[in-house]
Amino acid sequence: MRIPSLLLGLLKPKSNKPEIESYGQKDSGLEVEQIQQIMEWLLASLLNAGYVGRSHLIWDLGDQDWKQVLLMGILKDEPVFLYRCGDRPSLAPEHCCWRLMAEYPSMRIYQLEVKEG
């Protein structure tokens, strides 16, 4: 019997150290220095907020389907972030939205939030 990858992701133990899972980084078109700066800023922001655990960062060109990553983050109650590489971010799942993180100078980082009600 084959276990779906989403289910395997839910079975992984929660991390007790800061960890950022990265998706689509190769295709982002950004220089290594830019990527490192973004990752460092995000890690510092998570630590400053007192969050220690796994989080997810999607390098989004606007045309990918990130549903599996998004659902895994929501189900495991782990923060999901998106760096918009294209003109606009991919659609958020139903009952969710992307909140722009205005603290980052490029105005390209978003956090996935579940809509209340």
Side-chain angles (χ1 to χ4, degrees):
M1 180 171 105
R2 189 164 185 267
I3 299 172
S5 58
L6 178 60
L7 185 56
L8 282 176
L10 293 173
L11 297 174
K12 284 185 184 175
K14 295 240 181 212
S15 178
N16 61 353
K17 63 182 188 217
E19 219 178 296
I20 301 174
E21 297 276 336
S22 183
Y23 309 88
Q25 182 176 318
K26 259 189 331 192
D27 301 323
S28 71
L30 298 174
E31 298 292 327
V32 173
E33 294 81 19
Q34 280 182 287
I35 291 170
Q36 183 175 348
Q37 179 188 29
I38 293 163
M39 297 287 278
E40 287 173 357
W41 179 86
L42 184 56
L43 181 60
S45 296
L46 289 165
L47 292 173
N48 191 43
Y51 181 79
V52 178
R54 186 179 332 230
S55 60
H56 307 270
L57 175 59
I58 296 169
W59 302 88
D60 181 55
L61 296 169
D63 58 354
Q64 296 103 323
D65 181 9
W66 297 108
K67 194 177 297 183
Q68 187 173 359
V69 173
L70 301 174
L71 289 175
M72 183 173 53
I74 291 169
L75 291 172
K76 292 180 85 173
D77 199 27
E78 296 171 341
V80 178
F81 301 93
L82 180 140
Y83 185 88
R84 177 178 53 83
C85 299
D87 294 333
R88 59 184 157 197
S90 292
L91 294 175
E94 190 175 343
H95 306 295
C96 296
C97 63
W98 290 114
R99 180 185 62 83
L100 178 65
M101 296 184 71
E103 304 88 358
Y104 191 74
S106 76
M107 304 290 281
R108 291 180 170 267
I109 296 182
Y110 300 79
Q111 182 172 3
L112 185 68
E113 293 187 350
V114 177
K115 293 180 185 176
E116 302 276 330

